[in-house]
Amino acid sequence: MTNIQFAKRLQPLQSNVFADMDRAKALALAAGVQLIDLSLGSSDLPAEAHVIEAIAQSLHDRTTHGYLLFNGTQGFREAAANWYEQKFGIKVDPQTEVLPLIGSQEGTAHLPLALLNPGDFALLLDPGYPSHAGGVYLASGQIYSMPLREENGFLPVFADIPAPVLAQSRMMVLSYPHNPTAAIAPLSFFQEAVAFCQQHNLALVHDFPYVDLVFEQTGDWEKNLPNPKSKIQNPKSLVPSILQADPQKSISIEFFTLSKSYNMGGFRIGYAIGNAQLINALRQVKAAVDFNQYRGILNGAIAALTGPQAGVKTAVATFQQRRDAFITALHRIGWNVPTPQATMYIWAKLPSPWSQNSIEFCTQLVKQTGVAASPGAGFGKSGEGYVRFALVHEPSLLETAVERMAKFLNSN
Ligand SMILES: Cc1ncc(COP(=O)(O)O)c(C=O)c1O
């Protein structure tokens, strides 16, 4: 028996659909079912050899073994600033406008501590990435969920946010290309978001892990750039950055990671770029919590950002091939899911009788077939009725997963 009293803020963190799915996977495995795990967006591709080499060399350099203070991260901040400028044509000050993170999840989850007083609202996408909500709960804030509907291209409608909520809101979080819906946002939408947040004194947060995981030209978003002089001659990105809609960096902060473009999820390295005051506030929170990532990992990340980019292209081509194989197989069994233009996910509307019970669908699916997917409800109320598949296996295994699902759907 214990009399330890836990903080109320822990309560909303206790219901976690993904932990439940983990248990369902373990049970299926124990029952001898051969698992095909499409439930986690963790790339199965390896980090590149020149990145591993940079880290390996650092390990043998004892000067990398101690705590790393902010000044020691300068080389990494410069690499990130240059990478950003090359890609989006906007200058970034590595001293005041870049912050290294222990993964972008760490940064997005810590930022609400710098912005919210207890009871303040954060405006979040629903469905959305779970750590966005987790960070708000940790800061004792309140969440206003902006529902994403298919008929709106999975973009939120700002006019629907009630005035009393807005009056008590301090921040909005966007993330496109979007996990889990795989939707992309045009620059005009970001311009609308910037104007709205400026009008209502909100910090605008853009979580941007899938900046590179885009499969084809996604329209002429570049045409709308606010300042024609900032037009990029040879844009290296197929999707816009929030700072292109806010080039003065008046209210915006953007989060990047090496987890997706460079297959470095386990290394835990990301960075924030944007408004210097927001960067400084997040830096203050982090200074109370951590001592920066290990210098060797930063050296690996510098090698990734400044070295040959062929590996990024390979990763994109690999996920595109898997997307095509999986979608073709789904269409073959009569499941008409739209083809996403970005991310490593397929967001599929569930057929009846599952159309309002994604958790039961995923639990039964893994139990009966070994195919593990993520229930839409795990990403928020508006995710109900959908399931997310992560394309983290070879096409042949993805096709096997669809064959097993066909039998499951027929027998249920
Ligand atoms: C929207 C979003 N943000 C953050 C992350 C986590 O990124 P990191 O590995 O940099 O913490 C993910 C990973 O899937 C994601 O989809």
Side-chain angles (χ1 to χ4, degrees), residues 340-399:
Q341 288 179 306
T343 76
M344 56 206 287
Y345 307 111
I346 303 293
W347 184 240
K349 201 175 210 160
L350 284 166
S352 68
W354 314 102
S355 49
Q356 280 312 309
N357 203 342
S358 57
I359 295 175
E360 182 65 10
F361 172 84
C362 289
T363 312
Q364 288 303 325
L365 184 69
V366 72
K367 188 171 163 192
Q368 294 180 32
T369 72
V371 176
S374 298
F379 300 94
K381 215 166 91 198
S382 301
E384 185 53 288
Y386 290 84
V387 59
R388 189 198 76 175
F389 300 101
L391 301 170
V392 291
H393 291 293
E394 294 298 321
S396 59
L397 204 55
L398 294 174
E399 280 158 5

Coordinates of all heavy atoms in Angstrom, one line a residue, residues 340-399:
P340 N -1.9 9.1 -50.6 CA -1.3 10.3 -50.0 C -0.1 10.8 -50.8 O 0.6 10.1 -51.5 CB -0.8 9.8 -48.7 CG -0.6 8.3 -48.9 CD -1.5 7.9 -49.9
Q341 N 0.1 12.1 -50.8 CA 1.2 12.8 -51.5 C 2.5 12.9 -50.6 O 3.5 13.3 -51.1 CB 0.8 14.2 -51.9 CG -0.2 14.2 -53.1 CD -0.5 15.6 -53.5 OE1 -0.9 16.4 -52.6 NE2 -0.4 15.9 -54.7
A342 N 2.3 12.5 -49.3 CA 3.5 12.8 -48.4 C 3.4 11.8 -47.2 O 2.3 11.2 -47.0 CB 3.5 14.2 -47.9
T343 N 4.4 11.8 -46.4 CA 4.5 11.0 -45.1 C 4.8 9.5 -45.4 O 4.8 9.1 -46.6 CB 3.4 11.2 -44.1 OG1 2.2 10.4 -44.6 CG2 3.0 12.6 -43.9
M344 N 4.9 8.8 -44.3 CA 5.1 7.3 -44.4 C 3.8 6.6 -44.0 O 3.9 5.5 -43.5 CB 6.3 6.9 -43.6 CG 6.2 7.4 -42.2 SD 7.8 7.6 -41.4 CE 8.3 5.9 -41.2
Y345 N 2.6 7.3 -44.1 CA 1.4 6.7 -43.6 C 0.3 6.6 -44.6 O 0.3 7.4 -45.5 CB 0.9 7.6 -42.4 CG 1.9 7.8 -41.3 CD1 2.4 9.1 -41.2 CD2 2.4 6.8 -40.6 CE1 3.4 9.3 -40.2 CE2 3.4 7.0 -39.6 CZ 3.9 8.3 -39.5 OH 4.9 8.5 -38.5
I346 N -0.6 5.6 -44.4 CA -1.8 5.5 -45.1 C -2.9 5.7 -44.1 O -3.0 5.1 -43.1 CB -2.0 4.1 -45.8 CG1 -0.8 3.8 -46.7 CG2 -3.3 4.0 -46.5 CD1 -0.7 4.7 -47.9
W347 N -3.8 6.7 -44.4 CA -5.0 7.0 -43.5 C -6.2 6.5 -44.1 O -6.6 7.0 -45.2 CB -5.0 8.5 -43.3 CG -6.0 9.0 -42.3 CD1 -7.0 9.9 -42.6 CD2 -6.1 8.8 -40.9 NE1 -7.7 10.3 -41.5 CE2 -7.1 9.6 -40.4 CE3 -5.3 8.1 -40.0 CZ2 -7.5 9.7 -39.0 CZ3 -5.7 8.1 -38.6 CH2 -6.7 8.9 -38.2
A348 N -6.8 5.4 -43.6 CA -7.9 4.7 -44.3 C -9.2 4.8 -43.5 O -9.2 4.5 -42.3 CB -7.5 3.3 -44.5
K349 N -10.2 5.1 -44.2 CA -11.6 5.2 -43.5 C -12.0 3.7 -43.3 O -11.9 2.9 -44.3 CB -12.5 5.9 -44.5 CG -13.7 6.5 -43.8 CD -14.5 7.3 -44.8 CE -15.2 8.4 -44.0 NZ -15.6 9.5 -44.9
L350 N -12.5 3.4 -42.1 CA -12.9 2.0 -41.9 C -14.3 1.7 -42.4 O -15.2 2.5 -42.3 CB -12.9 1.8 -40.3 CG -11.6 1.7 -39.7 CD1 -11.6 1.8 -38.2 CD2 -10.9 0.4 -40.1
P351 N -14.4 0.5 -43.0 CA -15.7 0.1 -43.5 C -16.6 -0.4 -42.3 O -16.0 -0.6 -41.2 CB -15.4 -1.1 -44.4 CG -14.0 -1.6 -43.9 CD -13.3 -0.5 -43.2
S352 N -17.9 -0.5 -42.5 CA -18.7 -1.0 -41.4 C -18.4 -2.5 -41.3 O -18.0 -3.1 -42.3 CB -20.2 -0.7 -41.8 OG -20.6 -1.5 -42.9
P353 N -18.5 -3.1 -40.2 CA -19.1 -2.5 -38.9 C -18.2 -1.8 -38.1 O -18.5 -1.5 -36.9 CB -19.6 -3.8 -38.2 CG -18.6 -4.8 -38.6 CD -18.1 -4.5 -40.0
W354 N -17.0 -1.4 -38.6 CA -16.0 -0.8 -37.7 C -16.0 0.7 -37.8 O -15.1 1.3 -37.2 CB -14.6 -1.3 -38.2 CG -14.5 -2.8 -38.4 CD1 -14.5 -3.4 -39.7 CD2 -14.4 -3.8 -37.5 NE1 -14.4 -4.8 -39.5 CE2 -14.4 -5.0 -38.1 CE3 -14.4 -3.8 -36.1 CZ2 -14.3 -6.2 -37.5 CZ3 -14.3 -5.0 -35.4 CH2 -14.2 -6.2 -36.1
S355 N -16.9 1.3 -38.5 CA -16.7 2.7 -38.9 C -16.8 3.6 -37.7 O -16.4 4.8 -37.8 CB -17.8 3.2 -39.9 OG -19.0 2.7 -39.5
Q356 N -17.2 3.1 -36.5 CA -17.1 4.0 -35.3 C -16.3 3.3 -34.2 O -16.5 3.6 -33.0 CB -18.5 4.4 -34.8 CG -19.1 5.6 -35.6 CD -18.1 6.8 -35.8 OE1 -17.5 7.2 -34.8 NE2 -17.9 7.2 -37.0
N357 N -15.5 2.3 -34.6 CA -14.8 1.6 -33.5 C -13.4 1.1 -34.0 O -13.1 0.0 -34.1 CB -15.6 0.4 -33.0 CG -15.2 0.0 -31.6 OD1 -14.1 0.4 -31.1 ND2 -16.0 -0.7 -30.9
S358 N -12.5 2.1 -34.1 CA -11.2 1.8 -34.6 C -10.4 1.0 -33.6 O -9.5 0.2 -34.1 CB -10.5 3.2 -35.0 OG -10.4 4.0 -33.9
I359 N -10.6 1.2 -32.4 CA -9.8 0.5 -31.4 C -10.2 -1.0 -31.4 O -9.3 -1.9 -31.5 CB -10.0 1.0 -29.9 CG1 -9.5 2.4 -29.9 CG2 -9.4 0.1 -28.9 CD1 -9.8 3.2 -28.6
E360 N -11.5 -1.3 -31.5 CA -11.9 -2.7 -31.6 C -11.3 -3.3 -32.9 O -10.9 -4.5 -33.0 CB -13.4 -2.8 -31.6 CG -14.0 -4.2 -31.6 CD -13.7 -5.1 -30.4 OE1 -13.1 -4.5 -29.4 OE2 -13.9 -6.3 -30.5
F361 N -11.4 -2.5 -34.0 CA -10.9 -3.0 -35.3 C -9.4 -3.4 -35.2 O -9.0 -4.5 -35.5 CB -11.0 -2.0 -36.4 CG -10.3 -2.3 -37.7 CD1 -11.0 -3.1 -38.6 CD2 -9.0 -1.9 -38.0 CE1 -10.4 -3.5 -39.8 CE2 -8.4 -2.2 -39.2 CZ -9.1 -3.0 -40.1
C362 N -8.6 -2.6 -34.6 CA -7.2 -2.8 -34.5 C -6.9 -4.0 -33.5 O -6.0 -4.8 -33.8 CB -6.4 -1.6 -34.1 SG -6.4 -0.3 -35.4
T363 N -7.6 -4.0 -32.4 CA -7.4 -5.1 -31.5 C -7.7 -6.5 -32.1 O -7.0 -7.4 -32.0 CB -8.3 -4.9 -30.2 OG1 -8.2 -3.5 -29.8 CG2 -7.9 -5.8 -29.1
Q364 N -8.9 -6.5 -32.8 CA -9.3 -7.8 -33.4 C -8.3 -8.2 -34.6 O -8.0 -9.3 -34.8 CB -10.7 -7.7 -33.9 CG -11.8 -7.7 -32.8 CD -11.7 -9.0 -31.9 OE1 -11.3 -10.1 -32.4 NE2 -11.9 -8.8 -30.6
L365 N -8.0 -7.1 -35.3 CA -7.1 -7.4 -36.5 C -5.8 -8.0 -36.1 O -5.3 -9.0 -36.6 CB -6.8 -6.1 -37.2 CG -6.0 -6.2 -38.5 CD1 -6.8 -6.9 -39.6 CD2 -5.6 -4.8 -39.1
V366 N -5.2 -7.4 -35.0 CA -3.8 -8.0 -34.6 C -4.0 -9.4 -34.0 O -3.2 -10.3 -34.2 CB -3.1 -7.0 -33.7 CG1 -3.7 -6.9 -32.3 CG2 -1.6 -7.4 -33.6
K367 N -5.1 -9.6 -33.3 CA -5.4 -10.8 -32.6 C -5.6 -11.9 -33.7 O -5.0 -13.0 -33.6 CB -6.6 -10.7 -31.8 CG -6.9 -11.9 -30.9 CD -8.0 -11.5 -29.9 CE -8.6 -12.8 -29.3 NZ -9.8 -12.5 -28.6
Q368 N -6.4 -11.6 -34.7 CA -6.8 -12.7 -35.7 C -5.8 -12.8 -36.8 O -5.7 -13.9 -37.4 CB -8.1 -12.3 -36.2 CG -9.3 -12.4 -35.2 CD -10.6 -12.1 -35.8 OE1 -10.9 -12.4 -37.0 NE2 -11.5 -11.6 -35.0
T369 N -5.0 -11.7 -37.1 CA -4.2 -11.8 -38.3 C -2.7 -11.5 -38.1 O -1.9 -11.7 -38.9 CB -4.7 -10.8 -39.4 OG1 -4.4 -9.5 -39.0 CG2 -6.1 -10.9 -39.7
G370 N -2.4 -10.9 -36.9 CA -1.0 -10.4 -36.7 C -0.7 -9.1 -37.3 O 0.4 -8.6 -37.1
V371 N -1.6 -8.5 -38.0 CA -1.3 -7.2 -38.6 C -1.7 -6.1 -37.6 O -2.8 -6.0 -37.2 CB -2.2 -6.9 -39.9 CG1 -1.9 -5.5 -40.4 CG2 -1.9 -8.0 -41.0
A372 N -0.6 -5.3 -37.2 CA -0.8 -4.3 -36.2 C -0.9 -2.9 -36.9 O 0.0 -2.6 -37.7 CB 0.3 -4.3 -35.2
A373 N -2.0 -2.2 -36.6 CA -2.1 -0.8 -37.1 C -2.5 0.1 -36.0 O -2.7 -0.4 -34.9 CB -3.2 -0.8 -38.2
S374 N -2.6 1.4 -36.3 CA -2.9 2.3 -35.2 C -4.3 2.8 -35.3 O -4.7 3.3 -36.4 CB -2.0 3.6 -35.3 OG -0.7 3.2 -35.1
P375 N -5.1 2.7 -34.3 CA -6.5 3.1 -34.3 C -6.6 4.6 -34.4 O -5.9 5.3 -33.7 CB -7.1 2.6 -33.0 CG -6.0 2.4 -32.1 CD -4.8 2.1 -32.9
G376 N -7.4 5.1 -35.3 CA -7.6 6.6 -35.5 C -7.9 7.3 -34.2 O -7.5 8.4 -34.0
A377 N -8.7 6.6 -33.3 CA -9.1 7.3 -32.1 C -7.9 7.6 -31.2 O -8.0 8.5 -30.3 CB -10.1 6.4 -31.4
G378 N -6.8 6.9 -31.4 CA -5.6 7.2 -30.6 C -5.0 8.5 -30.9 O -4.2 9.0 -30.1
F379 N -5.4 9.1 -32.0 CA -4.9 10.5 -32.4 C -5.8 11.6 -32.0 O -5.6 12.7 -32.4 CB -4.5 10.5 -33.9 CG -3.5 9.5 -34.3 CD1 -3.9 8.2 -34.8 CD2 -2.2 9.7 -34.1 CE1 -3.0 7.3 -35.1 CE2 -1.2 8.8 -34.5 CZ -1.6 7.5 -35.0
G380 N -7.0 11.2 -31.4 CA -8.0 12.3 -31.1 C -9.4 11.8 -31.5 O -9.5 10.9 -32.3
K381 N -10.4 12.5 -30.9 CA -11.8 12.1 -31.2 C -12.1 12.1 -32.7 O -12.8 11.2 -33.1 CB -12.6 13.2 -30.4 CG -13.9 12.6 -29.9 CD -14.6 13.5 -28.9 CE -15.5 14.4 -29.7 NZ -16.0 15.6 -29.0
S382 N -11.6 13.1 -33.4 CA -11.9 13.2 -34.8 C -11.2 12.2 -35.7 O -11.4 12.1 -36.9 CB -11.6 14.6 -35.4 OG -12.4 15.6 -34.6
G383 N -10.3 11.4 -35.0 CA -9.6 10.3 -35.7 C -10.5 9.1 -35.8 O -10.2 8.1 -36.5
E384 N -11.5 9.0 -35.0 CA -12.4 7.8 -34.9 C -13.0 7.6 -36.3 O -13.3 8.5 -37.1 CB -13.5 8.0 -33.9 CG -14.4 6.8 -33.7 CD -13.6 5.6 -33.3 OE1 -12.9 5.0 -34.2 OE2 -13.7 5.1 -32.1
G385 N -13.1 6.3 -36.6 CA -13.6 5.9 -37.9 C -12.5 5.7 -39.0 O -12.7 5.3 -40.1
Y386 N -11.2 5.9 -38.5 CA -10.1 5.7 -39.4 C -9.0 4.8 -38.8 O -9.0 4.6 -37.6 CB -9.4 7.0 -39.7 CG -10.2 8.0 -40.6 CD1 -11.1 8.8 -40.0 CD2 -10.0 8.0 -41.9 CE1 -11.9 9.7 -40.8 CE2 -10.7 8.9 -42.7 CZ -11.6 9.8 -42.1 OH -12.4 10.6 -42.9
V387 N -8.1 4.3 -39.6 CA -7.0 3.5 -39.1 C -5.7 4.0 -39.9 O -5.8 4.4 -41.0 CB -7.2 2.0 -39.3 CG1 -7.4 1.7 -40.8 CG2 -6.1 1.2 -38.8
R388 N -4.6 4.0 -39.2 CA -3.4 4.5 -39.8 C -2.4 3.3 -39.9 O -2.1 2.6 -39.0 CB -2.7 5.5 -38.9 CG -1.5 6.2 -39.6 CD -0.6 6.9 -38.7 NE 0.3 6.0 -37.9 CZ 1.2 6.3 -37.1 NH1 1.5 7.6 -36.8 NH2 2.0 5.4 -36.4
F389 N -1.9 3.1 -41.2 CA -0.9 2.1 -41.4 C 0.4 2.8 -41.7 O 0.5 3.7 -42.5 CB -1.2 1.3 -42.7 CG -2.6 0.6 -42.6 CD1 -3.7 1.1 -43.2 CD2 -2.7 -0.6 -41.9 CE1 -4.9 0.4 -43.1 CE2 -3.9 -1.3 -41.8 CZ -5.0 -0.8 -42.4
A390 N 1.5 2.4 -41.0 CA 2.8 3.0 -41.2 C 3.5 2.0 -42.2 O 3.6 0.8 -42.0 CB 3.6 3.1 -39.9
L391 N 4.1 2.6 -43.3 CA 4.7 1.8 -44.3 C 6.2 1.4 -44.0 O 7.1 1.7 -44.8 CB 4.7 2.6 -45.6 CG 3.3 3.0 -46.1 CD1 3.3 4.0 -47.2 CD2 2.4 1.8 -46.5
V392 N 6.3 0.7 -42.9 CA 7.7 0.4 -42.4 C 8.2 -1.0 -42.7 O 9.1 -1.5 -42.0 CB 7.8 0.7 -40.9 CG1 7.7 2.2 -40.6 CG2 6.7 0.0 -40.1
H393 N 7.6 -1.6 -43.8 CA 8.1 -2.9 -44.3 C 8.2 -2.9 -45.8 O 7.6 -2.0 -46.5 CB 7.2 -4.0 -43.8 CG 7.3 -4.2 -42.3 ND1 8.4 -4.7 -41.7 CD2 6.3 -4.0 -41.4 CE1 8.2 -4.8 -40.4 NE2 6.9 -4.4 -40.2
E394 N 8.9 -3.9 -46.3 CA 9.0 -4.1 -47.8 C 7.7 -4.3 -48.4 O 6.7 -4.8 -47.8 CB 9.9 -5.3 -48.0 CG 11.3 -5.2 -47.6 CD 12.0 -4.1 -48.3 OE1 11.8 -4.0 -49.5 OE2 12.8 -3.4 -47.6
P395 N 7.5 -3.9 -49.7 CA 6.3 -4.1 -50.4 C 5.7 -5.5 -50.3 O 4.5 -5.6 -50.1 CB 6.6 -3.8 -51.9 CG 7.8 -2.8 -51.8 CD 8.6 -3.2 -50.6
S396 N 6.5 -6.5 -50.4 CA 5.9 -7.9 -50.4 C 5.2 -8.2 -49.0 O 4.2 -8.8 -49.0 CB 7.0 -8.9 -50.6 OG 8.0 -8.8 -49.6
L397 N 5.8 -7.7 -47.9 CA 5.2 -7.9 -46.6 C 3.9 -7.0 -46.5 O 2.9 -7.4 -45.9 CB 6.2 -7.6 -45.5 CG 6.0 -8.2 -44.2 CD1 5.8 -9.7 -44.3 CD2 7.1 -7.9 -43.2
L398 N 4.0 -5.8 -47.1 CA 2.8 -5.0 -47.1 C 1.6 -5.7 -47.8 O 0.5 -5.6 -47.4 CB 3.1 -3.6 -47.7 CG 4.1 -2.7 -47.0 CD1 4.4 -1.5 -47.8 CD2 3.5 -2.3 -45.6
E399 N 2.0 -6.3 -48.9 CA 0.9 -7.0 -49.7 C 0.4 -8.2 -48.9 O -0.8 -8.5 -48.9 CB 1.5 -7.5 -51.1 CG 1.5 -6.3 -52.0 CD 2.5 -6.5 -53.2 OE1 3.1 -7.5 -53.3 OE2 2.6 -5.5 -54.0

